[in-house]
Amino acid sequence: MKSTVFILSLFCTIVAHSQISFTTESVATSGQYSICALDMNNDYLDDIVSVSDTNIQIFYQNPDGTLTEQNFTTTPAENMPSWSLAAGDLTGNGYNDLLYGGGSGVTFMMANDDGTQYEEVSFPQFVFSQRTNFIDLNNDGHLDAFVCHDVAPNVYYINDGEGNLEFNQGGIGDFPSGGHYGSVWFDYNNDGLQDMFMAKCGGGIDRRTNQLFKNNGDGTFTDVAVEAGLDNPHQTWSAAAGDFDNDGFMDLMVGVSSFSDGGHALMKNNGDGTFIDITAGSGFDIFGGTSTEHATYDFNNDGYLDIMGNSNTIFLNNGDMTFTPVSAPFSSASIADLNNDGFLDAFRAGNIHYNDGNDNNWIVINTQGVESNRNGIGARVEITSALGTQIRDVRSGEGFRYMSTLNTHFGIGTDTEIDEIVISWPSGIVDVIPNPDINTAHLIVEGQTLGINENAIKNISLSPNPATNQITINYNENLKGAAVVIYDVMGRAVLRNTLESNSLNVSSLNTGVYFLNLDINGQTVQLKFIKK
């Protein structure tokens, strides 16, 4: 039974900076854990989630910004999200499922096909959970779950596409006594694959040295932190990953929870697989606050990512890899647009901190996967305007504990138009949307701009994959005369050819992920491959 709920009381208005301020209001959450804000009913409006052991309370956002409460009774949850909570659609039914990361194990709450009930699925293995994420680990189009383990190698749950999960341990963070705290998934080398930075804490230097796991494209991962320059041993619970200078590569702000082994580290991505420490003069070098939560969003819609965390402070991005600290009414929170005005708000402990906004323009992209997972988690979204090009990776699980919006938000400052949106999906499909409207949200369904039906042509594949110099298109007909176009992960055509046989020379391509578009009798198929 739904009933409309109005905000209970106005607490205060906190002016944090001429460019950013918040108005704090309370909402009557009843759950023990109120650490989640994202769309739960497939309308792409962010909602508020509060959970207890036998109840999921959701405040659904209405188009006018009011909230409507609904409660879902569940069987007693074996594990509660005492350390973190993640969300994503494991079954592709349009309703997000929840992952509770507890101190003794992991529980999933699975939404049924009409979003009216949740079924508890708990696993018997002991897991001292820290950060939890949803991510497609093996790139099969199905969303998997990843959980940092504090006292053992990390664990993950492989999804068969119907929500049946298989427990696995090891291979992505294997230190025997753990120390795995804050996983953030992002494509650091722009190869179209989601990599993972592991913030570590506690114990000796070997246990607390941070790691960077490069996605090999075959379901395996390699720790490349040493060669990337990210193997520092600071006491770290989380890191913020984003393109802070809008140069097309994801940077890192590795925030510390204690100054006992060093301070915050702002790491610039050099674009060649390595990072350089540019903390000196950035603003983080003279800041004494610490936090377990570090995440990045554009709070003032100026087109540059700001950084949240550290003692009720938001670091506003000055656009030149320096940051200005300003006061905020929250230090850690779930970040979402909770009144549908294009400015990001914060939710924490029964309080909504509404962003008062300004005159800057914005755009929101909502991703709906078809060949990829339903949420589009792992997709690279970029926009281009007079300000330049901005990029985001769609992620489930930012910072250490909280779950925030899966909608992709960009500020564009005073720009009045956007040249194009480009979405590179985990499947390899690339959608390009020219001249989109601004100050509104866009729902982009995977493949909607391509007109490609991968299922129209059956029994076709590429080998070898990964490839070295030559690939063969395995198909039951001779493909002589067929037109081929190969695109890179940014949607650029890098090779065009007319086939002489079912083989194609790709030796001219650089190492990376590519997408081969093949025209056969008027039908187009797209095949993904990796060039070694």
Side-chain angles (χ1 to χ4, degrees):
M1 182 71 181
K2 291 189 177 182
S3 60
T4 300
V5 174
F6 297 96
I7 299 300
L8 297 182
S9 61
L10 178 65
F11 280 171
C12 59
T13 298
I14 297 179
V15 178
H17 189 269
S18 60
Q19 288 184 289
I20 185 170
S21 62
F22 296 89
T23 297
T24 301
E25 300 181 356
S26 64
V27 61
T29 54
S30 60
Q32 183 181 1
Y33 298 98
S34 299
I35 55 175
C36 181
L38 81 161
D39 172 36
M40 292 294 289
N41 61 345
N42 202 29
D43 64 359
Y44 294 98
L45 296 173
D46 289 323
D47 309 310
I48 290 173
V49 182
S50 180
V51 304
S52 58
D53 60 344
T54 59
N55 190 72
I56 298 172
Q57 179 194 42
I58 301 177
F59 288 89
Y60 291 111
Q61 181 183 166
N62 302 308
D64 63 359
T66 61
L67 302 173
T68 299
E69 179 187 4
Q70 185 169 2
N71 287 276
F72 301 87
T73 300
T74 69
T75 56
E78 188 170 328
N79 303 287
M80 293 301 294
S82 53
W83 287 95
S84 72
L85 188 150
D89 187 352
L90 291 167
T91 60
N93 64 6
Y95 294 93
N96 283 320
D97 311 297
L98 302 176
L99 188 168
Y100 299 170
S104 298
V106 174
T107 288
F108 295 85
M109 287 293 179
M110 308 289 292
N112 67 356
D113 287 345
D114 59 6
T116 59
Q117 292 180 334
Y118 289 84
E119 178 185 359
E120 178 199 359
V121 178
S122 294
F123 282 77
Q125 294 86 1
F126 171 78
V127 181
F128 192 163
S129 308
Q130 301 294 300
R131 176 72 260 180
T132 51
N133 312 97
F134 283 119
I135 183 73
D136 184 354
L137 287 168
N138 53 6
N139 204 27
D140 64 354
H142 308 314
L143 207 55
D144 309 306
F146 180 85
V147 181
C148 292
H149 203 318
D150 190 8
V151 296
N154 293 320
V155 303
Y156 54 97
Y157 302 81
I158 296 298
N159 179 15
D160 68 355
E162 297 181 358
N164 300 308
L165 300 165
E166 179 185 10
F167 174 86
N168 294 267
Q169 187 166 23
I172 319 174
D174 290 341
F175 197 79
S177 65
H180 311 107
Y181 275 63
S183 49
V184 58
W185 293 85
F186 70 116
D187 182 5
Y188 83 95
N189 57 359
N190 287 5
D191 66 354
L193 301 169
Q194 288 290 297
D195 314 294
M196 189 264 283
F197 178 78
M198 174 61 65
K200 303 198 70 183
C201 190
I205 289 179
D206 52 351
R207 185 181 191 267
R208 67 176 186 268
T209 297
N210 296 329
Q211 298 175 294
L212 176 67
F213 289 93
K214 179 182 177 181
N215 190 329
N216 299 318
D218 59 2
T220 65
F221 295 80
T222 301
D223 183 5
V224 295
V226 173
E227 62 194 72
L230 292 176
D231 58 325
N232 82 44
H234 299 179
Q235 300 285 1
T236 304
W237 282 35
S238 63
D243 184 5
F244 300 130
D245 55 356
N246 290 348
D247 69 347
F249 290 91
M250 291 285 183
D251 311 299
L252 276 173
M253 202 295 284
V254 183
V256 297
S257 57
S258 166
F259 283 113
S260 60
D261 296 294
H264 308 296
L266 183 62
M267 307 298 295
K268 176 177 169 55
N269 191 328
N270 296 318
D272 60 0
T274 67
F275 292 75
I276 184 171
D277 190 334
I278 60 167
T279 311
S282 69
F284 289 105
D285 52 333
I286 59 174
F287 184 74
T290 62
S291 178
T292 60
E293 297 281 346
H294 298 91
T296 182
Y297 301 92
D298 185 357
F299 285 101
N300 57 5
N301 281 358
D302 67 349
Y304 292 93
L305 286 168
D306 311 308
I307 297 174
M308 176 190 79
N310 300 310
S311 307
N312 290 84
T313 303
I314 291 175
F315 279 78
L316 290 182
N317 190 335
N318 300 316
D320 58 0
M321 290 300 267
T322 68
F323 294 78
T324 300
V326 298
S327 297
F330 55 89
S331 180
S332 56
S334 301
I335 305 301
D337 184 355
L338 294 170
N339 57 357
N340 198 31
D341 67 350
F343 286 82
L344 288 169
D345 312 305
F347 166 68
R348 185 179 188 274
N351 292 318
I352 303 174
H353 305 286
Y354 285 111
N355 191 328
D356 293 330
N358 54 39
D359 292 331
N360 286 337
N361 296 315
W362 52 273
I363 191 170
V364 172
I365 292 93
N366 304 321
T367 49
Q368 181 176 312
V370 177
E371 298 297 324
S372 305
N373 66 86
R374 173 67 182 241
N375 303 107
I377 292 169
R380 167 67 57 88
V381 183
E382 68 176 64
I383 65 166
T384 302
S385 69
L387 187 67
T389 299
Q390 300 181 56
I391 63 174
R392 304 279 192 273
D393 287 343
V394 184
R395 301 188 195 120
S396 171
E398 299 269 0
F400 177 75
R401 189 184 191 201
Y402 291 81
M403 180 64 207
S404 297
T405 183
L406 290 173
N407 302 337
T408 304
H409 171 275
F410 294 89
I412 58 172
T414 59
D415 288 357
T416 57
E417 60 183 13
I418 291 173
D419 298 329
E420 65 179 13
I421 303 168
V422 179
I423 301 179
S424 301
W425 301 86
S427 67
I429 291 174
V430 179
D431 280 303
V432 180
I433 298 89
N435 304 312
D437 292 338
I438 65 170
N439 296 331
T440 190
H442 295 262
L443 172 60
I444 310 301
V445 179
E446 182 178 14
Q448 71 179 46
T449 68
L450 299 178
I452 294 174
N453 183 358
E454 292 197 29
N455 296 320
I457 301 173
K458 302 291 186 182
N459 301 319
I460 187 168
S461 63
L462 294 178
S463 64
N465 193 3
T468 304
N469 296 317
Q470 196 88 1
I471 58 175
T472 297
I473 302 170
N474 305 306
Y475 188 56
N476 59 8
E477 294 181 13
N478 189 324
L479 296 175
K480 183 178 180 178
V484 168
V485 183
I486 294 179
Y487 296 89
D488 65 12
V489 294
M490 304 304 289
R492 298 178 290 244
V494 294
L495 190 153
R496 299 177 185 271
N497 210 328
T498 300
L499 292 178
E500 293 294 326
S501 67
N502 285 36
S503 295
L504 180 66
N505 190 311
V506 294
S507 59
S508 63
L509 300 179
N510 295 323
T511 299
V513 177
Y514 295 92
F515 314 104
L516 183 149
N517 280 23
L518 174 66
D519 183 74
I520 304 175
N521 299 324
Q523 294 182 311
T524 302
V525 65
Q526 187 175 73
L527 301 169
K528 179 179 178 180
F529 71 95
I530 298 170
K531 170 66 164 54
K532 292 194 294 186

